[in-house]
Amino acid sequence: MASAAAAGAPPGPAAPRSRKSVTGTRRTVAALFLLPALVLLGALVVYPIGYSLVRSFYNASGDGFAGFDNYKTLFTDDGIRTALKNNVLWVVFAPAVATALGLVFAVLTERVRWGTAFKLVVFMPMAISMLAAGIIFRLVYDQDPDKGVANAVWVGVHDTFAQSSAFPKAHPGRDSPLRPDQGGFVTKEPVRAGQPVTLPLVGVAPDQLPDDAKKAAAAKPEPGKVTGSTWQDFTRGTGVGRLGAPDPSEVGYAGMRIEAVKDGKVVASTKASGDGTFTLPAAADGALLRLPAGNFREPYNGVDWLGPALVTPSIIGSYVWMWAGFAMVLIAAGLAGVPRELLEAARVDGATEWQVFRKVTVPLLAPVLAVVVVTLMINVLKVFDLVFIIAPGSSQDDANVLALELYRKGFAEGQPGIASAISVFLLLLVIPVMLFNVRRLRREVRR
């Protein structure tokens, strides 16, 4: 009877599953989802780091244990020491300048209506690859002002205040009355008043002659004065024209400076007119006529941006051009979260705009500025593309950085042991910066 009652009784509630089994199932599912990412992380990050660490203790051939010899080379090899010095310059200046420009752009663009368009233009270089940016700035820094934008602007500004000579290649021809003298030329014999002087030169290309140059003319004698003519004494064709006398097709040296020199002192000076003729006062009688070196000064060719002295600052400038937009966008996002009440309160209390910026805006943006600086520091420690592309072969050693030296040791010079040591050293340099960033992010989360 009891068994029948038991058989007809409704089933009781199922026993609850243990909490431990549920948690274990969830962990298993989570591990399965993470497994592909963990495999990739191990294959692409952990294994290369471990292999590089082991390889850094072996010699170039890989069959002999070298101990710490590769690490000693890091501080004794001249190329690596130059790379380390340049990396210090990169870490100190590139993030600081890019962040400062980003801060200035972010603050100023808040005050103009076209600020969004300006931010778009400044941020646009971020869409360009390092390779493309390197090619662009290799052209920008070209030494030839006709190709390089930087030197075209620099030469234009320079020539505005110091005009270059139009006769850098001019020199005396055959049977010339002139002889060399301190970078210029001087007459072999003293000149006399009333007797026209001829100062023929050759060597100036027709397209380089002054715009105001006219057909050369022979000077006419003037009583009590020294007259003369200086011109391009060259006519195309064999046996055409007269040597030492202006011909119809020849052009005067307009603007050529002529000085009369007695006993080493300049007693008179003048400039030739468009047809090359000139006139000196009576004081020039018995003097030697000199065409000073300034007439033949080579044209200013700009700055050697990619020379040994400026190649690293020039490449840092190209990096700042690319990453200032990145800094500006992050700082602008942080600036949008700054309470406007604090800024207005400071202005009401009588603070100037500079004081508001320095004592209110910058301290409130300190966390964002730290993010930008740390991110850029990590980025510049592994800079490679810009240096490899922009620096020419003649000055690449002077612009060398650790990432480039790693590439050269590992692939060009066949020293993978030293290259592995450089990679481990770079990792050690990055780790403190990464730890600082992680701690700062944790502090932000706790707040």
Side-chain angles (χ1 to χ4, degrees), residues 112-196:
V112 294
R113 289 184 300 175
W114 40 270
T116 302
F118 180 81
K119 289 178 181 177
L120 177 64
V121 172
V122 175
F123 187 75
M124 198 175 294
M126 286 295 299
I128 303 174
S129 68
M130 286 281 196
L131 173 65
I135 294 173
I136 290 171
F137 275 89
R138 182 64 182 268
L139 295 174
V140 168
Y141 291 134
D142 195 288
Q143 180 68 41
D144 187 353
D146 294 332
K147 298 178 182 178
V149 175
N151 266 341
V153 174
W154 193 266
V155 170
V157 173
H158 175 273
D159 288 350
T160 300
F161 300 98
Q163 188 65 36
S164 297
S165 169
F167 319 105
K169 303 296 183 182
H171 60 274
R174 291 179 297 142
D175 301 326
S176 175
L178 296 167
R179 60 179 174 81
D181 177 69
Q182 299 179 1
F185 304 99
V186 66
T187 54
K188 298 175 182 177
E189 302 292 338
V191 297
R192 296 298 175 185
Q195 298 178 5

Side-chain angles (χ1 to χ4, degrees), residues 349-361:
D349 289 341
T352 63
E353 289 300 323
W354 170 245
Q355 290 174 327
V356 171
F357 172 76
R358 185 166 57 91
K359 297 185 177 181
V360 180
T361 303

Side-chain angles (χ1 to χ4, degrees), residues 49 83 97-98 127 178 212 226 229 251 280-281 285 289 298 311 361 375 391 398 434:
I49 291 176
V97 175
L178 296 167
D212 56 346
V226 174
S229 179
V251 179
L280 289 165
D285 184 35
L289 296 190
E298 290 287 340
V311 62
T361 303
T375 303
D398 300 285
M434 293 176 60

Side-chain angles (χ1 to χ4, degrees), residues 38-80:
L38 292 175
V39 171
L40 286 175
L41 185 66
L44 300 179
V45 178
V46 178
Y47 172 74
I49 291 176
Y51 182 79
S52 296
L53 180 61
V54 173
R55 190 68 182 81
S56 66
F57 292 102
Y58 283 81
N59 57 19
S61 61
D63 55 3
F65 186 74
F68 288 94
D69 290 347
N70 292 329
Y71 290 95
K72 293 179 182 177
T73 304
L74 297 182
F75 303 99
T76 57
D77 184 87
D78 290 338
I80 299 177

Side-chain angles (χ1 to χ4, degrees), residues 17-28:
R17 297 175 61 187
S18 67
R19 186 177 186 85
K20 184 176 181 181
S21 63
V22 174
T23 304
T25 303
R26 289 178 178 174
R27 288 178 177 174
T28 302

Side-chain angles (χ1 to χ4, degrees), residues 404-422:
L404 177 59
E405 186 65 14
L406 186 156
Y407 168 82
R408 292 167 69 173
K409 294 293 185 188
F411 298 98
E413 300 178 14
Q415 301 182 44
I418 297 178
S420 298
I422 295 174

